[in-house]
Amino acid sequence: MHPAPSVIVFTVLSGLGFGFLAWLGLGLPAVTGWTAFFCYALGFASAVGGLIASTFHLGNPQRALKAFSQWQTSWLSREAWLSVLALTFMGLYAIGAVFFDTLIAPLGLIGAIFCVATVFATAMIYAQLATIPRWNHWLTPVHLVSLSLAGGAVLAQHGKAALLLLAIAGVVQALHWVLGDRRFAERGHTTETATGLGDLGSVRLYEPPHTGTNYLLKEMVYIVGRKHSQKLRVIGFAGMIVVPAAVLVLLPAGLVSTATAILFFLLGTFASRWLFFAEAKHVVGLYYSARNT
Amino acid sequence: MALIEPTLDTSPAVSDEVRKTTCYMCACRCGINVHLKDGKVAYIEGNRDHPVNKGVLCAKGSSGIMQVNAPSRLRAPLKRTGPRGSGEFEEISWDEALELATKRLDPVRKSAPEKLAFFTGRDQSQSFTSFWAQNFGTPNYAAHGGFCSVNMATAGIYTMGGAFWEFGQPDWDRTKLFMIFGVAEDHDSNPIKMGLGKLKGNGGKVIGVNPIRSGYNAIADEWVGITPGTDGLFILSLVHVLLKIGKIDLGYLSQFTNAPCLLNEDPSSPNHGLVLRDADDKPLVIDRATGKPAPFDQKGVRPNLAATYELDGKTHRTVFQHMAERYLSDEYSPEAVEERCGISAGRIRAIAAELARVAFEESFELNQPWTDFRGERHDKMIGRPVSFHAMRGISAHCNGFQTCRALHVLQILLGTVEVPGGFRFKPPYPKPVEAHPTPHCHSKPDCPLDGPHLGFVRGPDDLALKEDGTPARIDKAFTWDNPMSAHGLMHMVISNAHAGDPYKIDTLFLYMANMAWNSSMNTRGVMEMLTDKDENGDYVIPNIIYSDAYSSEMVAYADLVLPDTTYLERHDCISLLDRPICEADGAADAIRWPVIEPDRDVRGFQSVLVDLGVRLGLPGFVNEDGSAKYKDYADYIVNHQRRPGIGPLAGFRGEDGTQFGRGEVNPDQLDKYIENGGFFVEHVPEEATFYKPWNQAYQDWAVKLGFYDKPQPYLFQLYVEPLRRFQLAAEGHGDRQPPEHLREQIKEKMDPLPIWYPALEDAHADEKDYPVHALTQRPMAMYHSWGSQNAWLRQIHGQNPLYIPNKIWAENEFQEGDWAKVTSIHGEITVPVAHMAALNDDTVWTWNAIGKRKGAWALDETAPEATKGFLLNHLIHELLPPKGDGLRWANSDPITGQAAWFDLRVRIEKADPPTESQPEFPAIKSPVGKGPKIVRQKVRL
Amino acid sequence: MTQLPAQTDKKLGLVIDLDTCVGCHACVTACKGWNTENYGAPLSDIDPYSGDPVGSFLNRVHSFEVQPTAGPAQTIHMPKSCLHCDDAPCVTVCPTGASYKRQEDGIVLVNEDACIGCGLCAWACPYGARELDQAEGVMKKCTLCVDRIYNENLPEEDRVPACVRTCPAGARHFGDFADPDSNVSRLTKERGGMDLMPEQGTSPVNKYLPPRPKDTMKELDASAPQLTPVVDGPKGLLGWLDKALEAI
Ligand SMILES: Nc1nc2c(c(=O)[nH]1)N[C@H]1C(S)=C(S)[C@@H](COP(=O)(O)OP(=O)(O)OC[C@H]3O[C@@H](n4cnc5c(=O)[nH]c(N)nc54)[C@H](O)[C@@H]3O)O[C@H]1N2
Ligand SMILES: Nc1nc2c(c(=O)[nH]1)N[C@H]1C(S)=C(S)[C@@H](COP(=O)(O)OP(=O)(O)OC[C@H]3O[C@@H](n4cnc5c(=O)[nH]c(N)nc54)[C@H](O)[C@@H]3O)O[C@H]1N2
Ligand code: SF4
Ligand code: SF4
Ligand code: SF4
Ligand code: SF4
Ligand code: SF4
Ligand SMILES: [Mo]
């Protein structure tokens, strides 16, 4: 799939933002006053920033409100609802914390749940797609949620929780890569099944339907070199998991360590997320590629 | 739970008016319904009532709206300001343009009319353009047939009085086995597709003979991936097997062909090899009843195929015996040809057996009595459900004439021409050679030519030679080099004019032919010839006038450009005098008419010719008092008469518009056509539907429609006597003698019975240095060069890879995205490659005419057509490599002059990807600017 | 609504005959011609005359090559448009309800007024049947010519999809799969109509008729009964001729 900046920024930032807000909602840390102000500002900024970024890849963003209508069937619609609910509850909770120095625990709890649910819904938008075997796996939501909570934990300065969650996110990420690499083949999608001509012999495209490009090729057929992706995986994993963990262990807890850790975490996550899209092979490619892969 | 759905208008208004005219996105000429919304073209669909397409349209026809709105359309007459080829022009008025042309052409006509060479390409008004040229008085007129498929046309006419091309068709409803040779698309684009669909629906089988398995050959039940240039050998081997097993239609052969005609076998006689005739010149046959000679057409005669007849000491034996002797010989046995053709002997036998089985065991009868030309009544029509079709794959070789002949001979031996289930002619065919004119070439200053330019020679006497024996025509048509060049040799005009061989000309006048690009062999060379200057700095070809509708490559090379309209903006006439739209069951013709008005300062070219004709005072165009005979082309279409009562349009003639074929001029004729959907069709009577050449009912009907003035029954010519007459001359008989250097070629190649010989290029291009055959194919969704200006079509074919078969792909370790250097004996190109398995092992190919010159067609200079697309034409020369005899030998069929496009052989090597396909040419300046950034096609009300 | 109807009253769709399709692309441009002028926004072409033209098409023809274990390779042209799946994932993923399947005839449509152009439905379609129009920002797909097949302004016989009406080879058939006696149901039954990528579980309505067996002709050696010579050499032929001619 085409690694569009809008969706990468969206998933990375909103993931981190909602993760952080979730921790805040649980009152860990139970900040109030100015500290709270800065924490929530950061949380909301990244969550909302992400959501705004996501609208950049809409053809008609002015109609975005319509996206709330199909919550019964559409994960994208559900994500819309959940994000709004999360932001509302956390908003109220934040007002209490910042202006009245009071933490209304139930509000925070509900808010936290909606935050995690939002990230889960985002993940399900991808995980539900049978057309993209790499994503179409229960690990995908686990992957995005674990990262979100890990990132949140780093920001929330829970050294131990952060380390634990980074470890989990690391394992899940590794699994998602390893299993993902086999996924397409396992599903048995081939040019033969795509064309239904398998009984006759081996099938290959000899002439594409058009010599130029089109929306499908731009959006869904993206080729990333093996070497390139291996390199990015190392960078991503180091940035996202190893370095932040090391920082948390080696540097004394505090703003500096949190800042450095989260900076690397973000860089790593961007790399990982770029790969999340770039490496995701859509079955439509079978109708467009000469080689049967 | 009930689902709420938006309410839709499922009955939107389609248009406020439908105007019915004729498509011209290609030469198939289907009927179209043009839907207009407030005067603008909104949608184009096929006309269900139309005889050609019965409602369907191809990809091109369905994209007509993008052609009519193309940014490449010329806007006004253009006068060259920069050097030739630069594309620098100024727009001028029509008056100025026509004055310029007249000033230049008038003196030419008054002094030496032959110094005007007028040649036309895709044009469909040849009976009109030739009429103009004839009145101008130049012998130098032809259309593009010479580089197109003249082999197919001549072989067909000389053999059976009709050809494939779009002049005949299989009996799609009844044929059970259809064998198609060397066709990618053909002019009958939609009818062939409709026919194949029908045939498949009836459970019929298709055998595709083609080195490439695409398009029609993709759906063929059996694919014969023959080695290019060897079809003749393959066909004659089928003939060998059929003769050997006696699976030939003897009744048919003895009644309807010259198989029983008697050939003089005395080598010393000036008539050696000619047919024995009686006092009134009628071919004689031996009647099996009496054992005595009798005229072939005598009532009740039963011609003997096996006869031998002695006449004053001279032995005469039947054509059939000569054929048997030749084709039963082992040189045509499957074993002998299998390697060369790349078809196993077992396969050849299997195909022969299948042809025989279907022709004779699946034969059937129609209860349709008919009377033959001998006056004999037949109570049935016997069906032989085997049919054939072929086109440029066999004709665009230098052995194409004989190969096409061989195929017709095969059809005739099986008795499958003009019978139910077989191949059928479309009126005005069949028409024997005798019903066609001979060529005319005698020009005098200030006076019309002595007759029509093109025709069918009967022998050396009809050649277009001057008193001194030199060629009368600039293209050397109808000379000893290529005596039967019935369509002229357009591909030699620029080359000869540049070389001043046989003489120099003043004005090259071209119409609808992209000769500076895809239409020419040796494209780079041609561009040089067009721009070459002599010692005093003048262009070697002094003056070039060109009519095009779009900003093509050729436009840039003209001194004066006469911008034509698009096909929806003008009158056209698809006439029975020309290349009509008939179907086997009916005679039909059609018109185009301005369904929209041009929004530019352009004029229909034929009307411009009418205007020029008046300005030049051409007899056919002015009355005694010098006033104009015709106001414009529409006026000509209605009022012109070739012979009394016979005009360009056959329909709705006579004062009241009730006559057809023959009849007085009807002033309202065009309105009648428009009312009728833009066409006219008159159905062939039931009794006349088959056996047309011999069927009295058909002959009478043909006379009624004015195809000819008296019945013209004739015999199919398995043995073509005119060919023999040229051989006799080469053997020294007669006073018109060929030049020494051509004697052998004529003796050898102009055999009156089909032969096969390898490509002449093979004599020069060593098979080891150039082991690979290189071909082009028509893309179904593109028409030559002009599809690339079409926003929809160019997205389908925006570039053309060179397709490479398994063997060569592996040998060169090619990968997708690689490039190859392709070298012929004449030139070199570097182009992108792609892999194709369903392809003859020694053949590569690409789509024709996708490659474009930078700056042409209002395309951006980065267009893939120009940067990745390419032409094979750079590798094909119009001349064979010099033999050291100082002569210029054409790369053409030595009998007809057909350009031998497909004789090309090349060498393939992997190459480092260049920035662009090679050769690269500088961009030409677009006289119409560039196209818009975005198109959102919809008529907004 | 983006819930799929439990089942639809009719099941309109296409049968495409891969044994007859010559790959001419007529259905591609006929489709473009009708649909740019009719249903919804025009089908735009971006940079149509430049180096990289990108246009919206609702139907495209792919050309494949099949290499059997024995015998020559075959070429098969495969036109592809929306298959109007019964279990259409493109519908259920749509957040706005723009993408829906009609209860009455099963046609899958996009209500362009409700489409935000998120592209998710195109991601969900295994067949590449949806293209987001780059100028209009709305999702484009085969409408099964819903504005032709019921159109009272068209003569009865023309109330078929533009691609079906134009197909020169007659390789495209339109009809109701819910009716077992319809042309499309019969063709599917007789010729073993198949689904594309069945493992995606979309249960497409459109069916493809597989190519008939090709290159089945057996080679013959000279001794085959149907090849018994009537003659050896030209002379023998004359003898045979006399007999044969008498027989006529
Ligand atoms: N390599 C290779 N080369 C080939 C062939 C091949 O098979 N292989 N085929 C050969 C054959 S058979 C042919 S016939 C030629 C065809 O080649 P051409 O005869 O050159 O045909 P086009 O290039 O289609 O069109 C010629 C010109 O007609 C112009 N035109 C289009 N419509 C109109 C109109 O309405 N009015 C006017 N005045 N002009 C118009 C176009 O803009 C174009 O410039 O190509 C030949 N060249
Ligand atoms: N869509 C479309 N239709 C067209 C045209 C167009 O440009 N586009 N052009 C029109 C014109 S001007 C013409 S002349 C006709 C030409 O109609 P076609 O004759 O169909 O034209 P080509 O594309 O040259 O096809 C030549 C075919 O012969 C095959 N072939 C080449 N050499 C050999 C051989 O030695 N033996 C055999 N058996 N096959 C061989 C090639 O593989 C190719 O399939 O098409 C007309 N119709
Ligand atoms: S075949 Fe196509 S382009 Fe040619 S006339 Fe017919 S519809 Fe027009
Ligand atoms: S129009 Fe018919 S034959 Fe042509 S590509 Fe489409 S389906 Fe195939
Ligand atoms: S083909 Fe694609 S777009 Fe059409 S219904 Fe099926 S899934 Fe949806
Ligand atoms: S692009 Fe339009 S139709 Fe498709 S899912 Fe998004 S909103 Fe629905
Ligand atoms: S049914 Fe209509 S919309 Fe669908 S492919 Fe055919 S023409 Fe296009
Ligand atoms: Mo041609």
Side-chain angles (χ1 to χ4, degrees), chain B residues 609-635:
Chain B
L609 271 189
V610 170
D611 189 327
L612 272 176
V614 176
R615 290 168 190 255
L616 291 165
L618 303 188
F621 292 83
V622 292
N623 306 307
E624 280 57 37
D625 63 0
S627 63
K629 260 208 177 102
Y630 313 108
K631 157 164 128 292
D632 56 15
Y633 189 46
D635 192 21

Side-chain angles (χ1 to χ4, degrees), chain C residues 82-85 88-90 108 125-127 129-130 141:
Chain C
C82 173
L83 308 171
H84 298 279
C85 306
C90 57
V108 173
C125 170
Y127 308 106
R130 293 179 166 238
K141 67 173 296 302

Side-chain angles (χ1 to χ4, degrees), chain B residues 620-662:
Chain B
F621 292 83
V622 292
N623 306 307
E624 280 57 37
D625 63 0
S627 63
K629 260 208 177 102
Y630 313 108
K631 157 164 128 292
D632 56 15
Y633 189 46
D635 192 21
Y636 166 93
I637 293 173
V638 171
N639 294 303
H640 174 71
Q641 296 193 58
R642 271 300 150 91
R643 311 202 300 283
I646 295 184
L649 290 174
F652 312 106
R653 299 193 68 83
E655 288 307 327
D656 56 355
T658 55
Q659 284 151 278
F660 55 85
R662 299 168 188 269

Side-chain angles (χ1 to χ4, degrees), chain C residues 55-80:
Chain C
S56 309
F57 288 78
L58 311 184
N59 177 37
R60 308 219 186 219
V61 180
H62 302 241
S63 303
F64 292 97
E65 197 163 62
V66 179
Q67 181 59 66
T69 40
Q74 301 172 22
T75 309
I76 289 139
H77 303 287
M78 179 171 281
K80 203 158 48 54

Side-chain angles (χ1 to χ4, degrees), chain B residues 5 11-12 37 48 55 57 59 213 220-222 244 344 349 794-795 837 860 933 935-939, chain C residues 29 36-38 40 45 47-50 55 65 73 75 103 136 151-152 158 165 215-217 219-220 230:
Chain B
E5 295 175 1
S11 286
K37 283 182 186 166
R48 285 189 185 272
L57 286 190
R213 191 177 208 173
D221 301 274
E222 298 287 332
K244 199 157 187 164
S344 71
R349 288 192 210 94
R794 74 181 287 258
Q795 292 182 61
D860 192 278
K933 281 258 139 294
V935 166
R936 291 156 75 245
Q937 175 57 40
K938 201 187 202 80
V939 178
Chain C
T29 56
T36 196
E37 185 60 29
N38 293 284
D45 300 286
D47 299 322
Y49 304 101
S50 80
E65 197 163 62
T75 309
Q103 170 76 56
E136 308 289 341
N151 194 325
E152 266 118 38
D158 280 347
R165 189 192 187 284
D215 308 304
T216 55
M217 193 184 271
E219 300 210 346
L220 288 182
V230 294

